[in-house]
Amino acid sequence: MKIFIDTANIEMIKEISGLGILDGVTTNPSLIAKEKTDLRTCVKKISEIVDGPISAEAMSMDAEGMIKEGRELSLIHENINVKLPMCAEALKATKTLSSEGIDVNVTLIFSPHQALLAAKAGARFVSPFVGRLDDIGQVGSEMLSQTVAVFRNYDIDTEIIAASIRHPVHVLEAAMIGAHIATIPYDILKKMISHPKTDEGIRLFLADHERAKKS
Ligand code: E4P
C-alpha cells in the first residue's frame, strides 16, 4: 500500500519524507487554511520536497470553473493532481481534464456508487472518507471494502485512496481491504512507528550492552 501524508504543513512533510516511506501528499482547503498559506505557494513547496502525486483542490462548483482551475493547478508541477469534490459538475470536469492528461482525485466519496462514477469519468484517484462515515454511525471500512471489491471486479485502474483516517486501526483496515493508498495525518504516522514493547526492548538491550562492557 502506498502511503500519502494528509497535511499542508511543510515541516511535517519534510520530516516524514526524510523517513523514506512517503509516496505522495494530499491537501484540502481546511488543511491549507490551518497553515495560513495559499494553495499555490503551498503545493509548489511540497513539490520541491516530495517526488510523488500531490493533490490540490479546485474551489469552483461548476465544471467550467473546475476545468479552468484544474488546468492552472496542473501547470504548477507535473506531480500535481486536481482534487474535485464529488458532484455532477465534477464528473464533467473530470472527463475533460483526464482527456487532457491532467490527473484528477475525486474527493468526498462516501459510497461505492460515487467511486464507480468518478472512475468511469476518468479519475486517476478516488478518495473514500472512512472516518467521517464512522462519525455518523456508519461503517467507513465497509464502504471502503465494497469500493475495492467493485474496482477489482472490473479491473478498474483508478487508485483508491483511503481518506479521513483517524487512527492506526483505520490504516490497518485499509491495508487488509487492499486500498491502493492510505492518506494519513502526521500524528497517526508517528503512532504507527512506535510500540511500547519496542521502546522497552531497546532500553533493555542498551542496558545489557552497557553491563556486558563493564564485566
Ligand atoms: C483527504 O484527502 C482529506 O484531506 C482528508 O482525509 C479528510 O480527513 P478528515 O475527515 O479527517 O478531515
Side-chain angles (χ1 to χ4, degrees):
M1 184 173 68
K2 288 182 222 165
I3 290 183
F4 287 9
I5 188 168
D6 195 27
T7 186
N9 183 290
I10 299 299
E11 291 313 310
M12 288 177 184
I13 293 169
K14 273 189 192 153
E15 181 186 330
I16 299 299
S17 170
L19 302 179
I21 51 117
L22 194 60
D23 300 300
V25 181
T26 51
T27 68
N28 68 38
S30 309
L31 294 171
I32 297 280
K34 209 164 125 191
E35 299 308 321
K36 300 184 176 36
T37 179
D38 69 280
L39 176 65
R40 282 163 181 75
T41 313
C42 182
V43 291
K44 192 168 180 340
K45 277 193 197 151
I46 297 173
S47 68
E48 287 157 13
I49 304 164
V50 179
D51 184 20
I54 300 158
S55 291
E57 193 150 340
M59 297 311 299
S60 301
M61 286 313 297
D62 62 300
E64 205 183 315
M66 289 174 181
I67 293 164
K68 185 172 175 294
E69 272 188 77
R71 286 178 182 146
E72 287 165 6
L73 289 168
S74 74
L75 293 176
I76 299 173
H77 192 277
E78 58 185 6
N79 285 343
I80 303 280
N81 59 74
V82 183
K83 225 180 182 191
L84 299 177
M86 177 61 194
C87 59
E89 291 300 295
L91 292 177
K92 291 186 223 166
T94 300
K95 187 81 193 164
T96 302
L97 290 169
S98 63
S99 72
E100 293 174 8
I102 297 171
D103 287 340
V104 177
N105 173 3
V106 179
T107 189
L108 289 167
I109 295 280
F110 289 93
S111 75
H113 319 77
Q114 292 179 314
L116 181 61
L117 295 180
K120 293 279 292 181
R124 158 104 193 266
F125 304 103
V126 289
S127 294
F129 275 40
V130 176
R132 290 193 198 187
L133 263 193
D134 290 357
D135 290 346
I136 58 161
Q138 295 185 25
V139 184
S141 60
E142 202 173 295
M143 179 270 301
L144 181 64
S145 170
Q146 290 168 340
T147 305
V148 169
V150 169
F151 279 33
R152 275 196 192 139
N153 282 348
Y154 298 101
D155 284 331
I156 293 171
D157 56 13
T158 301
E159 290 184 87
I160 298 169
I161 306 180
S164 189
I165 297 281
R166 298 280 162 75
H167 45 69
V169 176
H170 275 155
V171 181
L172 177 62
E173 286 171 345
M176 297 288 289
I177 288 166
H180 304 95
I181 302 159
T183 188
I184 310 173
Y186 172 83
D187 57 325
I188 296 167
L189 281 163
K190 295 288 277 191
K191 283 184 190 163
M192 287 166 60
I193 295 171
S194 55
H195 190 284
K197 292 301 284 180
T198 308
D199 298 343
E200 180 193 88
I202 290 172
R203 270 197 310 275
L204 279 171
F205 284 152
L206 287 173
D208 286 345
H209 177 65
E210 284 307 312
R211 241 194 325 274
K213 272 201 312 194
K214 283 176 196 147
S215 59

